[in-house]
Amino acid sequence: MSTRTLRVGLIGLGAMGRNHARVLLSLSGVELVGVMDPAGDRAGAARGVPVVATLPELLALGVDYAVVACPTALHEEVGLVLAESGVCALIEKPLAHSAAAARRLVDAFDRAGLVAGVGHIERFNPALQSLRSRLEAGELGEVFQAVTRRQGPFPHRIADVGVVKDLATHDIDLIGWLTGSEYASVTARIVSKSGHPHEDMVAVVADLVDGTMVSHLVNWLSPLKERFIAVTGERGCFIADTLTADLTFHANGAVPMEWEALSAFRGVSEGDMVRYAIPKREPLLVEHERFRDAVDGKTTDFVTLGQGLRTVEVAEAVLDSARKRVSLPLRDPHPALAVVTQRS
């Protein structure tokens, strides 16, 4: 629990902004002192907290940190003002609309010596927190492959980016975080079928620096909503469903396969299947607790701006690969990515 009450401002009352407001209004150790949205609070999400139309008005209320949940195209402009004003910031993902803009945000907050993070909420999903701990403990042995599928109907809340920077950035961030390895190269294909100006489907095949094979299938064209991650290694396969926060382990079999033809076909035999009992706390609440504690000077774990920048760089490489129809190598990460995130 925070040792002092931090004054927080919220920028944006769209779909995600309203969720941030709900959590901030009940979060111990913080006080939501103001919300900025030029459109006002039509849904009543601020629950009596002052709603102002401009950023100077919000800053005038006196805030220790701000949560930036406005459209992606405005992240750079808003973030640079916050850094210049000495205000810490939790910026919704993706960090910015371009890698160049994301890099400017990293540099600005670094120069100011401020705590700043990116709202990659999926990292705090209970299934993925458990999966990462198990991978770090070596329960899977050597990791061979990571596969993600993230698909569903078109979200009308999105207007300024396509499926790569909106949805695929979740999986790009998660695979790097889960494996502890960097993307070395990407090959991608995109299509736009829904009549919107940006791509609405992407297929990605990638290599990580440690040799892990990766594939991502992401779209806004499916009536089936799916959030699937499979990590396969020498001892079996972990399956995470982040919609239900379930984590299942399919072990390689230890029982000899007597059916010779089947054994030859499968390569490995089926072993035990275990679905883990995991405490299931709301990811957005956990994300806010971690960032609150970081602003309060405590040792904690959150997504740094350097990590958010790397995700945008990989997303841009995906789009570039799709446009050029070639496999593209990834450049060395920004030095900010090398900073070790403090962990509780």
Side-chain angles (χ1 to χ4, degrees):
M1 182 177 292
S2 180
T3 57
R4 63 189 175 109
T5 299
L6 297 168
R7 295 174 62 84
V8 184
L10 172 62
I11 300 166
L13 273 176
M16 197 63 202
R18 292 192 292 273
N19 279 315
H20 282 295
R22 172 181 55 81
V23 171
L24 287 167
L25 284 164
S26 62
L27 184 63
S28 63
V30 307
E31 179 187 1
L32 181 60
V33 297
V35 177
M36 177 207 139
D37 194 313
D41 183 16
R42 298 173 183 172
R47 299 184 200 169
V49 172
V51 178
V52 298
T54 67
L55 188 52
E57 289 176 282
L58 180 67
L59 295 176
L61 297 173
V63 296
D64 296 300
Y65 72 91
V67 177
V68 179
C70 56
T72 303
L74 300 176
H75 286 187
E76 179 187 13
E77 176 186 346
V78 170
L80 291 178
V81 172
L82 293 175
E84 184 179 351
S85 303
V87 175
C88 299
L90 176 62
I91 302 173
E92 259 303 333
K93 68 89 202 161
L95 174 56
H97 65 282
S98 71
R103 197 171 296 112
R104 288 189 286 270
L105 285 170
V106 170
D107 292 342
F109 280 95
D110 280 351
R111 285 194 303 269
L114 295 167
V115 176
V118 187
H120 279 287
I121 187 174
E122 287 277 59
R123 283 203 195 184
F124 304 98
N125 187 286
L128 299 182
Q129 289 276 317
S130 179
L131 172 55
R132 185 173 191 244
S133 296
R134 294 175 185 281
L135 292 175
E136 286 186 322
E139 292 185 19
L140 195 57
E142 181 184 355
V143 175
F144 301 150
Q145 183 184 53
V147 175
T148 73
R149 296 196 304 268
R150 185 177 297 269
Q151 54 186 345
F154 185 83
H156 295 287
R157 61 183 176 83
I158 300 298
D160 57 343
V161 294
V163 74
V164 171
K165 289 188 177 178
D166 180 59
L167 282 189
T169 49
H170 280 301
D171 295 321
I172 292 168
D173 174 72
L174 287 175
I175 293 306
W177 172 70
L178 286 169
T179 63
S181 187
E182 286 288 323
Y183 283 76
S185 68
V186 295
T187 305
R189 297 291 183 269
I190 57 174
V191 296
S192 181
K193 297 291 188 181
S194 57
H196 295 274
H198 302 286
E199 79 287 345
D200 45 33
M201 175 179 283
V202 63
V204 183
V205 175
D207 294 311
L208 301 187
V209 172
D210 66 1
T212 301
M213 297 170 56
V214 174
S215 69
H216 303 301
L217 176 62
V218 189
N219 74 66
W220 281 329
L221 299 175
S222 171
L224 168 67
K225 187 171 183 179
E226 185 179 34
R227 302 289 185 266
F228 171 94
I229 296 179
V231 182
T232 303
E234 61 181 322
R235 295 176 186 164
C237 179
F238 282 110
I239 304 291
D241 182 338
T242 59
L243 288 176
T244 59
D246 287 330
L247 179 65
T248 305
F249 179 57
H250 297 259
N252 290 344
V255 177
M257 179 70 70
E258 297 182 9
W259 187 355
E260 183 177 351
L262 187 58
S263 177
F265 174 74
R266 291 190 173 183
V268 297
S269 59
E270 295 174 334
D272 293 334
M273 182 182 74
V274 179
R275 192 177 76 175
Y276 299 102
I278 303 170
K280 296 182 179 181
R281 302 186 68 221
E282 183 184 0
L284 187 60
L285 173 60
V286 176
E287 178 181 77
H288 274 287
E289 289 175 344
R290 301 278 180 88
F291 192 74
R292 171 204 63 194
D293 290 349
V295 174
D296 202 31
K298 295 182 172 63
T299 299
T300 186
D301 184 11
F302 62 97
V303 185
T304 67
L305 292 196
Q307 293 166 342
L309 164 60
R310 185 56 169 176
T311 296
V312 176
E313 289 177 335
V314 175
E316 288 198 345
V318 166
L319 291 169
D320 202 21
S321 168
R323 284 190 291 264
K324 296 176 179 177
R325 301 185 73 82
V326 296
S327 178
L328 290 180
L330 272 296
R331 71 174 187 85
D332 291 337
H334 186 280
L337 189 63
V339 177
V340 178
T341 306
Q342 293 179 312
R343 301 175 63 199
S344 56

